[in-house]
Amino acid sequence: MDEFMQAAISEAKQGREEGGIPIGSVLIKDGKIIGKGHNKRVQDGDPVTHAEIDCLRNAGRIGNYKGTTLYSTLMPCYLCAGAVVQFGIKKVIAGESKTFPGAKDFMISHGVEVVDLNLDECENMMSEFITEKPELWNEDIGN
């Protein structure tokens, strides 16, 4: 596992420690992390503070997203995939999509390269959370 996915996993763990949903994300440009974030829906009481949105906010205005890669511990949902497409991010690397399939096909249809690593660590983190707190999961993107 590369250092960038490990950083996203660290963000997810931080979110879980804060009482939130364990999803983390980092934005990479020129081989460096320029933004990182985690799902703060619970912590901030904000339904759109998904990990990828928090990450993009924390990266700030970078002017141009050409050459960036977004890492996320979970396949991005349509909200986050829309941000990826809107900002022209051309590569997304997801930790897993078994617990939630996300909007992979939507991103691909808009020219985004999507890599699903199918990491056990990411899947186990989400599976445990969904089992422990189904009401939080189902409140947003669950069934």
Side-chain angles (χ1 to χ4, degrees):
M1 177 183 331
D2 71 26
E3 63 183 293
F4 303 129
M5 183 53 73
Q6 192 58 55
I9 290 170
S10 292
E11 283 291 318
K13 289 178 179 178
Q14 180 181 341
R16 183 71 170 122
E17 289 170 10
E18 294 170 359
I21 299 168
I23 304 169
S25 183
V26 296
L27 185 66
I28 308 306
K29 186 170 187 173
D30 299 325
K32 296 178 183 168
I33 296 173
I34 62 169
K36 56 186 178 176
H38 52 275
N39 188 299
K40 292 181 181 171
R41 240 179 8 91
V42 175
Q43 299 92 311
D44 293 353
D46 181 350
V48 296
T49 309
H50 289 199
E52 299 87 347
I53 302 300
D54 188 46
C55 175
L56 292 169
R57 282 180 176 153
N58 291 331
R61 293 182 63 221
I62 66 169
N64 185 323
Y65 292 84
K66 188 175 185 177
T68 61
T69 299
L70 183 73
Y71 281 73
S72 182
T73 57
L74 184 66
M75 187 64 69
C77 68
Y78 281 95
L79 170 70
C80 299
V84 165
V85 170
Q86 177 68 32
F87 293 125
I89 298 168
K90 293 297 181 187
K91 187 170 186 179
V92 170
I93 300 177
E96 66 101 359
S97 64
K98 290 180 183 173
T99 60
F100 178 73
K104 179 178 181 179
D105 292 340
F106 171 79
M107 291 185 287
I108 291 170
S109 75
H110 285 85
V112 178
E113 177 187 355
V114 180
V115 178
D116 186 350
L117 298 176
N118 290 311
L119 296 174
D120 289 339
E121 183 174 5
C122 292
E123 181 184 350
N124 292 339
M125 190 167 36
M126 283 308 303
S127 292
E128 288 171 12
F129 173 78
I130 292 166
T131 298
E132 292 171 12
K133 301 214 178 232
E135 71 287 351
L136 278 180
W137 179 247
N138 292 325
E139 177 183 302
D140 186 357
I141 58 177
N143 294 321

